[in-house]
Structure formats: C-alpha cells, structure tokens
C-alpha cells in the first residue's frame, strides 16, 4: 500500500518537571506520512515546535527496533498504542486515519513518576531487578560453562519466553491497579525454570516481591490486561509461577 | 517460616483473598442445598423438612465450626478487599485522560470491588431478614417439636407436636398449656425443670411469607414481596458476575495454573457462576409464583 499523508490532532501531556503540575495540550500536525513510525511523527511535531520557538515534547526512545524497552507512551487509552505485539517505536501511522485525534500520555503509576512531559522514571524496575533478578556466579577464573548443564528443551523455551520481557512497563501502565506482577513474574520465571536459577530461587522470589511492594506498585487482580498489552506477549503463566514461587519461598525460607 | 511475609506482602493478601473466596464458594453450595428444600418438598412435609434442616444447621457442632469459618472468611474477604482496593487506587494517583481500553480485560475482572460491595449490601439485608430471625430473635413461633420423653406429659399434649424420630409422623393429643418454652427452643413440662424435647423455629413460614407476601401459618405477609423477589434476583445476577471472575481468579492467585487444567477451571468457574446463582434465584421466584 502506497504511503499517503494524513492530518491529525494530538493531545499530549506536557509537564515541565517532576515537581510541576502538567496538563494536556492540543497540537495540529499536517502532512504526516502513514509510512512513518509513531516516534517519527513525534519528531516531526518537535521540528514544528522548534520552528515555532516552542519547547519540544520530551519522550523516551532508544533503539527504535522494538527490543530495548525504552519507548513507552499510552496512546488512545492503550499502552504502546492500538497495534498488538509492538512497542511504540514499531507502531506506524498507517494505524491512524486522516482527521484522527490522538491522545498521548505518559505511563501512569505512583512508582513511575513523570520526569518531563512523556518521560517517566522507571528505575523502580531496576531496583526490583537488583533485588534478585540475577544468578550469582563465581568469576574466579574457573567459571563453569553454562551449557554444561543439560536443560530440557521445553524449560529452556519457557525461560526464554519469560526472558523476552524488555522491562518497558506497559504491564504497569495498562493494569487498572498499576501492578508490576507481569514484569516480576517474567523476571522470577526466567531463572526459576533453569537449574542455575533454582539455587537462589527462594530468596529471589521473596526479595523481588518485597522490593515490588516497597516501590508502590498495585496488587494483581488477574484482569489479564497486561498479557494482552505486553509488546512481547509475556504470558500470565509467569504470574502464576511467581505466585507459586513466592508461596513456596514464604513457607520454606529460613530468613 | 517468615510469618510477616505471609500476612503483609501484596501476594499474601491475594492468597487470603483466594482462600477465603474459595471457601465461600463451598459455603454457597451448602447454603443452596439447604434452600432447595424450600421447593423440593411441598405442603406441610416441606415445612417440616426445611425447619428440621434449619434446626440441624443451627445445632450440629461441625456445622457450627463451619459457620464460624464462614463468618471469618466473609470478614477477611471484605477487609482484604478494602485494603487491596485502597492500595490499588494509590498506585495510580493521576489517571489517564483517555479512558483505558476495555477490550483487554473483562468487565467483571475490573469491577470486583463494586460487585463485592453490592454483595455486601445484599448480605446485610439478607442477614436482617433471615439470619437474625433464625439465630438471634427469641420470639419466633415454633413449628415442629421433637419430643424425647412424653411419659411425664400424661394425656394432654399440644396439637402441633410430632414425633420426628419415628418413620411415621404421628400427631399426638394436645394441650399447649402443658409445655414451657425456654431458651427459644427448649421444651419443658410446665412449671418444672424437666426437659422433654426441642422445638423447631418456623423459618419455612418466615421465608414463604417474606417472598409470597401472603400470611403464612401466622407469620404476616411481606407487603413488598415482589420487590424482595426482584432485589434477590438482582443480587444473584451481581453474585454471578463476581463469581465469573472470582472463581478462576482464585486459582491463578494461588499459582494453580497449567495448560492441562486451566481451561477446565475456567469452564467450571463459568458454570459455577451461572448455575449456583440461578438456582438460588429461582427459589423466591417459585415461592412468589405459587402464591400469587
């Protein structure tokens, strides 16, 4: 399909910094190519704003290939916009029609404070990861080859599917409770499924959930919205596994 | 075992929510089986069967333990639900300008707190209408009597007395003045401390009068019977939606999810959510229909 151009109205959250009160601003943007990505459209808007001597809209982005997890944006009431299985950078303007009004908002979560405009601070995820999302390896020079341990194909596949999580925060943004269970479920699962990860599984589950609670994320009510909106298709199986791992850990932990 | 973790953490709250919720599902089944006696038996034998069942439920020690677990479960489910809802509201202080999508989750799953609150309103009213009368009120008329020893009564026994421990129900001769009722249901020979049996509160007539609007065995008819029936049916619809999400959600919260049985749990949950409230709801409708 040949690319055409559309004219759109944008309603974008503008907020000077983390301390100021933000509000929705309306912008008109003409001649947007339907072949451009959503972020390219925002680049076009920023060019227009700069030419008008206005402050450009701040938004997160990095690889623009859908794998780094840096881009975010809550577009027309959906995390990463109307397309399924994609991040915002892989969302294209062909998903929109001429004359559309598009709402663009930052992730809304007490644990993800707005830094500026559409940029939120997702370091809460980093702290959860640091609380247990790793395998301790002795790097004395005699490190064991990970591939020396046989792992059933099914387990390896499930662990890989969980590890596909890019930590973008779409699950938190879309959850009506602002729960981070899909993220934590994926991170706990990717290790829990592998023999290398089992060694620290008990403390990992306890520590990561404790950190998750401290960060102020909400509680999972099993609506399943996160699974639908996740750009990487992380399954609710991982939340169930986290529930199992944590219950087990709570019962057997020495600490 | 780290005790604080199993009480305070977000996941622990979900475990309790799931465990109490599933126990209350069991309670629903037990309650329904009892209620169904209102429509499976008719006439005087139905009245007797239901009242005797109610007496059994109030006096069996095992049922008493279960009833206390039920009260505690309801209380925990409410407190836990309120705590979870408050925390979840706090987790998103600023909402979205564009309303969140509704396609990615079911309506029930997003409105469990609302549905639960409506069910609580129903439980309070239902308790005032029936539970309070059955458990607390002391001026209820007694219907069936179980006489353990009649030798001291002589010839004069009241007309509403039945032996219920013998296969054939035999009314025995009458003199209400020969009996004293103490502690609501205990039967004594007048003016003595000789206990001769137990009386059964006439809950059957209370229920029929409440939902039919007609005077039933001396219990005055409920003027708003039709409204009571409609309210009850609506409450059961609300319960159905609550169960539609709650039943399968409880298994997920407890980590019980597997490709082998998750589909089955969902199907059983949906069946449970429709069948149980439906059976509850037809009972007052039938009582109203039979009397109007």
């Amino acid at each position: 399909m040949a690319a055409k151009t559309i004219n759109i109205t944008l309603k974008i959250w503008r907020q000077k910094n983390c301390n100021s009160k933000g509000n929705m601003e309306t912008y008109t943007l003409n001649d947007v190519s339907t072949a451009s990505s959503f972020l390219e459209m925002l680049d076009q808007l920023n060019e227009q704003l700069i030419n008008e001597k206005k402050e450009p809209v701040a938004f997160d982005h990095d690889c623009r290939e859908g794998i780094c997890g840096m881009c975010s944006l809550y577009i027309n009431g959906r995390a990463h916009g109307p397309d399924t299985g994609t991040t915002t950078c892989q969302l294209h303007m062909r998903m929109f029609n001429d004359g559309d009004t598009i709402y663009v908002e930052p992730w809304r979560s007490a644990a993800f404070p707005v830094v500026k405009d559409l940029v939120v601070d997702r370091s809460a995820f980093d702290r959860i990861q640091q609380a247990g999302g790793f395998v301790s390896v002795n790097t004395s020079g005699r490190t064991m080859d990970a591939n020396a341990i046989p792992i059933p194909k099914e387990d390896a596949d499930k662990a890989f599917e969980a590890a596909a999580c890019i930590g973008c925060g779409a699950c938190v943004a879309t959850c009506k409770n602002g729960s981070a269970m899909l993220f934590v479920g994926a991170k706990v699962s990717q290790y829990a499924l592998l023999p290398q990860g089992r060694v620290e599984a008990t403390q990992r589950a306890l520590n990561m959930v404790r950190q998750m609670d401290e960060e102020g994320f909400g509680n999972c009510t099993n609506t399943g919205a996160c699974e639908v909106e996740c750009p990487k298709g992380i399954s609710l199986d991982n939340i169930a596994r986290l529930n199992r791992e944590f219950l087990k850990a709570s019962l057997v932990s020495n600490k | 075992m780290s005790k604080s973790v199993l009480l305070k953490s977000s996941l622990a709250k979900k475990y309790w929510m799931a465990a109490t919720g599933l126990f209350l599902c069991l309670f629903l089944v037990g309650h329904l089986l009892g209620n169904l006696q209102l429509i499976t038996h008719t006439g005087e034998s139905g009245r007797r069967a239901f009242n005797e069942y109610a007496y059994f439920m109030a006096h069996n020690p095992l049922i008493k333990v279960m009833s206390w677990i039920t009260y505690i479960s309801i209380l925990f489910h409410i407190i836990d639900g309120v705590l979870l809802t408050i925390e979840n509201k706090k987790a998103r202080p600023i909402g979205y300008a564009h309303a969140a999508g509704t396609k990615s989750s079911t309506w029930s799953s997003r409105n469990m707190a609302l549905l639960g609150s409506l069910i609580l309103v129903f439980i309070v009213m239902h308790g005032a209408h029936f539970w309070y009368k059955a458990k607390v009120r002391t001026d209820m008329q007694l219907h069936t009597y179980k006489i353990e020893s009649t030798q001291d009564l002589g010839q004069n026994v009241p007309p509403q007395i039945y032996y219920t421990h013998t296969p054939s129900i035999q009314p025995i001769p009458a003199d209400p003045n020969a009996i004293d009722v103490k502690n609501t249901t205990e039967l004594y020979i007048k003016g003595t401390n000789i206990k001769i049996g137990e009386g059964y509160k006439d809950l059957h007539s209370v229920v029929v009068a409440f939902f039919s609007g007609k005077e039933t065995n001396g219990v005055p008819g409920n003027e708003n019977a039709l409204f009571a029936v409609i309210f009850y049916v609506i409450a059961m619809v609300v319960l159905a939606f609550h169960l539609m999400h709650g039943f399968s959600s409880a298994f997920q919260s407890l980590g019980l999810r597997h490709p082998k049985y998750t589909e089955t749990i969902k199907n059983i949950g949906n069946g449970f959510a429709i069948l149980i409230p439906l059976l509850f709801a037809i009972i007052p409708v039938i009582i109203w229909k039979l009397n109007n």
Side-chain angles (χ1 to χ4, degrees):
Chain A
M1 194 176 77
K4 52 176 186 173
T5 58
I6 55 173
N7 300 332
I8 52 172
T9 304
L10 290 158
K11 287 188 181 292
I12 298 179
W13 182 261
R14 300 305 306 268
Q15 185 173 334
K16 203 165 183 249
N17 55 48
C18 58
N19 298 317
S20 62
K21 215 173 153 248
N23 63 294
M24 297 297 283
E25 291 275 349
T26 308
Y27 303 97
T28 310
L29 191 61
N30 295 330
D31 302 325
V32 178
S33 167
T34 53
S36 67
S37 75
F38 199 84
L39 297 186
E40 283 167 341
M41 180 276 291
L42 287 178
D43 291 338
Q44 192 180 332
L45 171 71
N46 279 345
E47 198 176 354
Q48 179 180 307
L49 289 174
I50 291 165
N51 286 337
E52 291 169 1
K53 306 259 185 274
K54 287 179 186 163
E55 181 80 8
V57 178
F59 60 91
D60 265 328
H61 61 103
D62 192 4
C63 78
R64 298 207 179 195
E65 290 180 333
I67 53 162
C68 76
M70 197 62 205
C71 61
S72 55
L73 305 188
Y74 204 74
I75 302 159
N76 280 351
R78 292 188 66 181
H80 292 299
D83 216 349
T84 48
T86 56
T87 53
T88 293
C89 64
Q90 293 295 297
L91 174 69
H92 285 79
M93 293 310 292
R94 66 180 77 97
M95 298 295 294
F96 299 92
N97 297 313
D98 193 40
D100 273 3
T101 298
I102 305 171
Y103 282 75
V104 190
E105 298 173 74
W107 287 168
R108 292 295 188 195
S109 162
F112 291 162
V114 173
V115 176
K116 184 182 168 71
D117 296 338
L118 302 171
V119 177
V120 295
D121 177 2
R122 282 171 283 185
S123 58
F125 269 13
D126 298 339
R127 289 187 291 275
I128 294 174
Q129 191 75 347
Q130 284 155 12
F134 51 80
V135 172
S136 303
V137 177
N138 194 344
T139 53
S140 60
R142 290 183 298 160
T143 310
M144 207 175 144
D145 179 7
N147 293 324
I149 305 170
I151 296 164
K153 174 83 167 77
E154 290 81 11
D155 292 0
D157 284 351
K158 275 187 202 161
F160 189 82
E161 279 164 20
C165 169
I166 52 176
C168 66
C171 45
V172 175
T174 203
C175 175
K176 80 172 189 64
N177 309 318
S179 166
M181 284 290 280
L182 195 66
F183 168 76
V184 181
K187 295 302 169 194
V188 163
S189 288
Q190 75 179 67
Y191 298 109
L193 286 158
L194 301 175
Q196 294 95 328
R198 286 301 334 163
V199 182
E200 294 162 301
T202 302
Q203 281 313 303
R204 179 180 303 113
L206 293 176
N207 291 341
M208 289 183 85
V209 167
R210 195 203 61 236
Q211 190 64 37
M212 173 181 84
D213 289 349
E214 275 176 20
E215 297 292 348
F217 291 105
N219 305 290
C220 176
T221 56
N222 304 323
T223 68
C226 53
E227 182 187 50
V228 176
E229 298 295 339
C230 174
K232 296 296 159 187
I234 304 294
S235 162
L236 288 182
D237 289 349
N238 295 297
I239 294 183
R241 189 174 294 105
L242 171 59
N243 286 333
R244 281 199 297 277
E245 288 290 326
F246 185 81
L247 184 56
K248 216 183 333 177
S250 306
L251 295 170
V252 303
S253 169
N254 299 322
K255 286 179 189 170
Chain B
M1 183 173 130
S2 41
K3 279 183 193 153
S4 62
V5 165
L6 267 186
L7 283 175
K8 283 183 191 159
S9 98
S10 59
L11 268 66
K13 291 197 195 88
K14 294 298 299 178
Y15 298 148
W16 286 115
M17 207 65 190
T20 52
L22 286 176
F23 181 80
L24 291 173
C25 285
L26 267 182
F27 159 74
L28 284 180
V29 174
H31 194 333
L32 176 64
L33 291 176
N35 285 14
L36 284 173
Q37 298 188 55
L38 286 163
I39 54 169
T40 49
H41 299 62
T42 51
E44 193 57 25
S45 74
R47 185 181 170 200
R48 201 178 56 243
F50 185 75
N51 288 341
E52 285 174 9
Y53 155 77
Y55 177 87
F56 167 79
M57 294 304 279
H59 291 80
N60 184 288
L62 194 68
I63 303 288
K64 268 193 175 165
V65 173
M66 293 293 268
S67 75
W68 278 104
I69 301 176
T70 306
Y71 300 145
I72 292 167
S73 291
I74 293 173
L75 204 64
F76 252 65
H77 205 72
I78 293 167
I79 294 171
D80 225 13
V82 169
L83 286 176
L84 287 166
T85 307
I86 291 171
E87 283 177 8
N88 291 347
K89 292 266 178 258
K90 267 193 209 157
R92 178 162 299 138
I94 302 168
Y96 291 107
H98 189 293
T102 54
K103 282 178 190 163
S104 49
S105 58
T106 61
W107 184 86
S108 301
S109 74
R110 293 192 303 272
N111 292 283
M112 289 302 274
L114 170 71
L115 292 165
S117 306
L118 291 175
I119 293 169
L120 179 60
V121 171
F122 168 75
I123 290 176
V124 169
M125 295 190 69
H126 191 67
H129 293 147
F130 302 114
W131 178 88
Y132 174 76
K133 286 179 188 167
K135 296 268 187 183
V136 185
R137 254 178 64 175
T138 53
D139 56 346
M140 290 245 330
Q141 68 163 333
L142 301 177
H143 168 228
T144 315
Y145 299 84
K146 179 177 164 189
I147 304 294
E148 278 136 12
S149 153
T150 53
Q151 55 186 5
D152 299 314
L153 280 169
Q155 294 300 310
N156 301 319
V157 190
Q160 287 290 345
I161 287 185
Y162 296 93
Y163 292 110
T164 56
H165 54 281
T166 53
S168 56
I169 310 298
Q170 299 286 337
I172 45 175
D175 178 11
N177 301 325
I179 289 174
D180 263 346
V181 178
K182 294 181 186 172
N183 301 325
T184 316
T185 58
E186 291 170 13
L187 307 178
Y188 289 83
I189 294 176
K190 192 141 192 100
T192 71
N193 278 328
I194 306 165
K195 190 182 171 191
I196 52 160
E198 284 272 341
Y200 297 75
K201 287 183 173 181
D202 195 3
L203 268 176
H204 185 274
S205 298
V206 169
V207 175
V208 173
F210 186 79
F211 285 122
S212 68
K214 299 286 159 66
E215 190 268 349
T216 312
N217 301 317
V219 180
N222 175 13
E223 282 173 19
N224 303 313
L226 186 60
F227 175 76
V229 172
I230 292 168
F231 178 77
Y232 192 94
V233 171
I234 291 172
M236 288 306 108
V237 173
V238 172
L239 177 65
F241 279 104
H242 195 72
L243 290 171
M244 199 77 85
H245 175 70
F247 190 94
S248 54
S249 176
F251 287 88
Q252 168 78 358
S253 288
L254 293 169
L256 298 168
R257 183 187 173 95
H258 193 278
K260 270 185 193 160
Y261 56 71
T262 292
E263 208 47 43
T264 314
I265 288 174
K266 274 225 170 93
N267 292 336
I268 292 173
N270 287 340
F272 188 90
I274 293 166
L275 188 69
I276 301 288
L278 182 70
L279 288 173
F280 267 115
I282 61 168
I283 295 167
V285 172
I286 288 176
I287 291 174
W288 195 82
K289 272 302 263 184
L290 285 177
N291 294 282
N292 287 278

